[in-house]
Amino acid sequence: MDISTAATANRIAIALIDGFNKHYRLFRQTSREAKFRFESGDWLAVHKAVKDRIRFYDDRVEECVERLRDEFRAEALDDATWQQVKLLYIGLLLNHKQPELAETFFNSVCCKILHRTYFHNDFIFVRPAISTENIESNPPTYSSYYPGEGGLAETMRQIILDFDWQRDFEDLERDVDYLYRTIRTHLGGELPAREANCQIQVLYSAFYRNKGAYIIGKAINGNQEYPFAIPVLHTPGGKLYLDTILLDAWRISILFSLSRAYFMVDMEVPSGYVQFLRSIMPGKPRSELYTMLGLGKQGKTMFFRDLIYHLRHSEDKFIVAPGIRGLVMLVFTLPSFPYVFKIIKDVFGSSKEVDHATVKYKYQLVKQVDRVGRMADTLEFSYAALPRSRFDPALLEELRQQVPSLLEEDGEDLIIKHLYIERRMTPLNIYLDNAPEEKVEAAVKDYGNAIRELAIANIFPGDMLWKNFGVTRYNRIVFYDYDEIEHMTDMNFRAIPEAPYPELEMSGEPWYSVARNDVFPEEFATFLLGSRPVRQAFLKHHRDLLQPEFWQAAQEQIRQGRVEDFFPYPEELRFSRLYAAGGENA
């Protein structure tokens, strides 16, 4: 390679790392500002920041692509130059604090410039080139506390004060006492004897989401580790209080469910945060943790690597997903892998009045709103290459018939030009068909709760059929079909007007005008309440959802700017319930 080519490759590598560094600087700035938004109680600004951050990555990639095209005519460079760019870029990452994110940024830019439709080992990072183990951070990833003469309660008090929130606590001594009592109860009434290495490790940044800040850490005593998460909230009067402490790893895992909004966390070394979180939740994939930290592109990169690795170590085939076939999406799954793959059909069912662009917009909207634990997050992929031999022949035939415009076949690979991937759940209609009556009631009750919570969060599901909701492994009802969702404030909820004379009620045609966004809640009963157990349970718990008044009241709250609390843990775990005046624990 001549000197001129080497110099060009070096300048391109520097331009790429400059583009990434700008991205992460802006990402970290908005994450750092989450503390100030929390302190000021500016909840509308919280939601706006989450929405705005979604675009950060793509905007920086586009900027970098344009720079490389304008300054270096990057699309015309030969393969040898690009290979040299990659080697020089690796050199720039040796002492970098976010090397795994920078590698993914390199991939994103190169694939846009080179129009690569799938992984090419010579030009992009198929596997990590730089280790993320034990990268030094300033401030450190976590702080360590050693309970002294003041004991556990005093240590917990200091941990909370060290977050330095510029807002008074309502009664910190009371809340620390609640923490201490709850921990003792969880451990059987007494704290274990203190070992020589007894310490409490706490992630340096709080985790901000919606109206809460979460302290995440673990206590270490001998060979035992005890994870915990402490939500910090605002009282109606604007002071801070500790709402509870979560002490079970599986409950903490629910905080990081992809059905909830992403956290804002100020991290110099994100891999350090992921490593710490994995020590608390070893069953949570690293891809999901990166995604929940707001690093969705890194989450997608790691997810796809995990999928390819799984395919190499399994033999089952992709099949059509069980359940009622959708009118908009073709859905398939790999039984040994807990996800479903969704592709927008070329032609929709006749009852659907949406197009491809609208469906994509709706799925993007889901990433920008507060999912309140009731909407499945999706990973969106373009040009995903999967081994054709792993597709069941019946599925392959269905793909060729229903989505031919989104398929390419290249050697042994099937290239899917666009698809969404979600965590697999049991479709609610299938669950209800097979559940005993008491579980039917619990599921229908939670289904109605999901509808209510989505409405308060300004989301109207549109198509509320049971088949569009799933049951998670924790028996929570989650919505996952988005082609008809709308903002609540865009809808017009009406009562069906009385017919001017009785004969009209027998007509198959409405006797009243219906605009596009008109909704008549009375009609929900027609398509939701067919079976007796379902009807009884729904009317017992959610009769008001069949009347426009509930929906109109929810709209009014939204228009007034009211942001509701949504707790990612049971109401009975809140200190206000556990230690209510006169209660058994008080």
Side-chain angles (χ1 to χ4, degrees), residues 303 340 367 419 483:
F303 172 88
V340 293
K367 290 189 170 294
L419 80 161
D483 55 89

Side-chain angles (χ1 to χ4, degrees), residues 312-573:
R312 289 174 183 153
H313 294 80
S314 61
E315 296 182 351
D316 57 331
K317 293 182 181 293
F318 290 106
I319 59 172
V320 176
I324 299 172
R325 304 293 176 88
L327 299 176
V328 171
M329 292 288 195
L330 190 158
V331 185
F332 63 95
T333 189
L334 186 69
S336 63
F337 198 63
Y339 295 84
V340 293
F341 302 75
K342 305 170 71 171
I343 308 178
I344 304 174
K345 294 181 178 180
D346 282 1
V347 179
F348 301 157
S350 58
S351 63
K352 292 293 184 178
E353 299 179 358
V354 294
D355 56 21
H356 279 227
T358 301
V359 174
K360 290 180 179 180
Y361 165 76
K362 298 295 179 67
Y363 273 77
Q364 182 66 14
L365 176 65
V366 171
K367 290 189 170 294
Q368 299 173 350
V369 300
D370 180 3
R371 294 187 292 281
V372 300
R374 297 297 190 175
M375 299 174 76
D377 192 18
T378 56
L379 299 175
E380 184 178 5
F381 285 89
S382 298
Y383 293 96
L386 298 170
R388 187 174 58 235
S389 63
R390 297 299 295 273
F391 283 77
D392 180 80
L395 170 60
L396 201 54
E397 180 62 24
E398 196 158 333
L399 288 167
R400 288 167 175 160
Q401 288 183 1
Q402 299 200 34
V403 292
S405 71
L406 294 177
L407 296 184
E408 287 183 11
E409 299 192 37
D410 183 82
E412 299 300 315
D413 286 332
L414 183 70
I415 314 298
I416 301 177
K417 297 179 184 179
H418 186 261
L419 80 161
Y420 298 100
I421 302 176
E422 296 173 358
R423 268 278 184 179
R424 187 168 62 223
M425 292 175 270
T426 303
L428 182 54
N429 61 306
I430 294 177
Y431 181 89
L432 293 174
D433 287 344
N434 296 283
E437 195 159 319
E438 66 275 9
K439 289 194 173 182
V440 167
E441 178 173 352
V444 171
K445 180 180 179 181
D446 200 48
Y447 163 85
N449 290 339
I451 298 293
R452 293 176 187 277
E453 291 167 19
L454 288 170
I456 294 169
N458 199 18
I459 291 294
F460 178 62
D463 190 344
M464 298 196 298
L465 292 174
W466 309 104
K467 69 182 182 68
N468 296 326
F469 290 76
V471 184
T472 72
R473 53 186 166 166
Y474 298 113
N475 289 323
R476 186 171 176 84
I477 307 302
V478 172
F479 182 51
Y480 56 56
D481 195 321
Y482 306 138
D483 55 89
E484 293 190 18
I485 65 168
E486 300 282 355
H487 286 298
M488 280 282 294
T489 46
D490 291 335
M491 310 308 292
N492 181 31
F493 295 94
R494 298 172 54 191
I496 296 176
E498 186 175 345
Y501 45 90
E503 290 80 1
L504 277 179
E505 293 187 356
M506 306 302 294
S507 169
E509 298 297 325
W511 57 89
Y512 46 89
S513 62
V514 180
R516 190 183 74 84
N517 279 6
D518 281 350
V519 179
F520 301 90
E522 297 161 70
E523 296 179 338
F524 297 164
T526 303
F527 53 84
L528 289 180
L529 308 183
S531 75
R532 181 189 59 81
V534 166
R535 183 179 184 85
Q536 287 181 340
F538 190 93
L539 294 179
K540 176 181 177 181
H541 297 288
H542 301 298
R543 185 184 294 268
D544 59 330
L545 294 183
L546 303 178
Q547 303 298 325
E549 287 78 11
F550 163 80
W551 302 92
Q552 292 165 355
Q555 286 178 312
E556 186 57 29
Q557 288 189 17
I558 296 164
R559 290 179 178 129
Q560 290 177 3
R562 182 173 174 179
V563 178
E564 290 289 334
D565 292 300
F566 296 98
F567 303 108
Y569 41 83
E571 183 76 21
E572 57 267 23
L573 293 184

